[in-house]
Amino acid sequence: MKKTTKRILILCIVLLIAGMAAFPFVRNYATREEPSKEKSEKGKPSSTPGKNKPLNVNAEVLQFVSLTDIIRTTGSLLPDEEVDLSFETSGKITSILFREGSKVKKGQLLAKVNDNLLQAELKKLEAQLPLAKDRVFRQKSLLAKDAISQEAYEQVVTELDKLNADIDLVKARIAQTELRAPFDGTIGLRMVSEGAYTSPSTVVVKLIKIKPLKIDFSISERHATEIRQGTNIEFELTGSLNKYKATVYAVESTVDPKTRTLKVRATYPNANESVLPGRFASIEIKLHEIKNTLAIPSEAVIPEMGRDIVYLYKNGIAEPAEINKGLRTESRVQVLSGLSAGDTLITTGVMQLRKGAAITIDDIQSK
């Protein structure tokens, strides 16, 4: 190795050792400079607002109230019975015996199809009936005297039975030419005229029974066990201020897996038939009513590590209180313990509150 290279290597080693020895002194100097810088910055006015500035909130003075758990839903009004009336046979309509929009009784004749051929056949068969009966009577008398065989007597009896069966068959076909009301109800608008040719697929008129009315609606699956036969409901109709009372009479056996709702059907007496089917109904169902209890807004409750916390206003500061909840409605929660009547509950800005936080009340209510 040349002498020049050795000298350079030795110089580098010396400089490295000198730098390592001087490093602690440089660090101490820098540390002494930082506090002085912080002091100069502390002397400057702060641009951020003070942490102790009061928070504006709304509050509520608690009082004992009645708390009602209400289910609100919508439904449709349906007739108690509804049917499209058609003839069971084909033919020309010879008469229409009802007036549109009128009341009819069960079994009342409403319309008729031409049955001339059937009536003629019936007369023919009925004309043979006396002779057949007389033949049976004579054969029976001869059988008693052993003048004829049992087989001959049974043959005339069979002929009489066959004749009666043919008569019943023709009468049944004649009945198919008659359109009768299957139940008491109100006739709608007729779809055919006299002289028109009809068939079983032709709708002649609609018949409905609207006393009583049915109300179909659905409820959430969480209330499925609380609605049963006999549960009372109230409903309102669009454009009406009246409230109508109805009673549940049937509940679907299963919850709909697609909507997670349970279908319910109630009945309304509709004694004067003033309410028409097909209308939209707003429904209320009162499940529970608790009197003389404390209830607070749902938004005032803060879930915190398995506890329910609310904040009270006390001498200008916020104080937390742990509560036990009871019945829950759409907007309020029953308080079983943790609060007393007369407490001032903070109802807004609760997520920004901490124990001892300064607060100012903008609006206070009494419930």
Side-chain angles (χ1 to χ4, degrees), residues 46-330:
S46 176
S47 59
T48 58
K51 293 184 179 180
N52 294 325
K53 183 179 180 180
L55 178 67
N56 294 335
V57 297
N58 295 337
E60 178 181 307
V61 178
L62 301 182
Q63 296 180 1
F64 288 110
V65 296
S66 294
L67 187 64
T68 304
D69 188 12
I70 299 178
I71 299 176
R72 290 183 173 88
T73 184
T74 58
S76 299
L77 302 183
L78 305 175
D80 184 48
E81 302 288 351
E82 180 179 14
V83 64
D84 290 332
L85 297 179
S86 302
F87 284 101
E88 295 182 66
T89 187
S90 300
K92 185 176 71 172
I93 299 176
T94 57
S95 59
I96 294 178
L97 306 173
F98 63 86
R99 183 169 53 86
E100 294 170 293
S102 63
K103 306 291 184 184
V104 297
K105 295 292 185 180
K106 181 178 180 179
Q108 181 178 331
L109 182 61
L110 304 177
K112 193 82 170 71
V113 162
N114 185 3
D115 64 351
N116 291 340
L117 291 176
L118 294 174
Q119 291 291 351
E121 186 176 354
L122 178 62
K123 287 182 180 181
K124 177 183 176 180
L125 294 173
E126 289 178 341
Q128 300 174 24
L129 193 57
L131 181 60
K133 288 181 179 179
D134 186 58
R135 186 180 297 116
V136 171
F137 178 76
R138 290 197 306 269
Q139 294 294 85
K140 185 177 182 180
S141 299
L142 293 174
L143 179 63
K145 298 176 182 179
D146 292 330
I148 62 170
S149 65
Q150 181 70 28
E151 183 180 354
Y153 171 71
E154 291 178 354
Q155 183 176 356
V156 295
V157 171
T158 301
E159 290 176 356
L160 176 61
D161 292 341
K162 181 181 178 182
L163 181 60
N164 284 323
D166 289 340
I167 292 174
D168 291 341
L169 179 60
V170 174
K171 287 182 177 179
R173 289 175 177 172
I174 292 174
Q176 290 181 331
T177 66
E178 299 174 345
L179 186 62
R180 295 184 178 273
F183 50 82
D184 295 352
T186 303
I187 284 288
L189 305 178
R190 61 184 173 93
M191 306 300 178
V192 296
S193 301
E194 288 187 13
Y197 186 85
T198 185
S199 67
S201 62
T202 304
V203 176
V204 176
V205 71
K206 183 187 291 291
L207 176 65
I208 63 172
K209 180 182 179 183
I210 63 173
K211 186 174 69 173
L213 280 178
K214 296 174 182 176
I215 304 101
D216 270 11
F217 60 95
S218 297
I219 59 172
S220 171
E221 61 179 345
R222 73 186 184 94
H223 296 300
T225 59
E226 301 180 72
I227 304 299
R228 57 184 62 86
Q229 185 177 0
T231 300
N232 295 320
I233 71 171
E234 288 186 350
F235 67 94
E236 296 180 352
L237 303 176
T238 304
S240 174
L241 299 178
N242 296 329
K243 285 195 173 184
Y244 304 90
K245 298 182 182 296
T247 305
V248 173
Y249 78 91
V251 180
E252 188 60 85
S253 57
T254 59
V255 173
D256 188 332
K258 294 181 179 179
T259 62
R260 302 301 177 186
T261 58
L262 183 70
K263 191 172 182 180
V264 183
R265 181 169 289 176
T267 181
Y268 169 65
N270 201 24
N272 55 4
E273 300 187 7
S274 60
V275 180
L276 297 179
R279 299 193 64 179
F280 175 87
S282 299
I283 299 170
E284 286 188 357
I285 309 173
K286 294 182 180 180
L287 297 180
H288 310 286
E289 184 173 7
I290 303 174
K291 297 183 178 180
N292 297 324
T293 189
L294 294 177
I296 63 175
S298 302
E299 59 269 18
V301 182
I302 306 172
E304 185 178 282
M305 299 180 64
R307 303 181 304 162
D308 292 309
I309 303 296
V310 298
Y311 281 93
L312 301 177
Y313 173 83
K314 292 184 178 180
N315 301 321
I317 62 174
E319 290 291 339
E322 182 179 351
I323 64 170
N324 290 322
K325 298 186 298 185
L327 175 66
R328 186 184 187 96
T329 67
E330 291 182 354

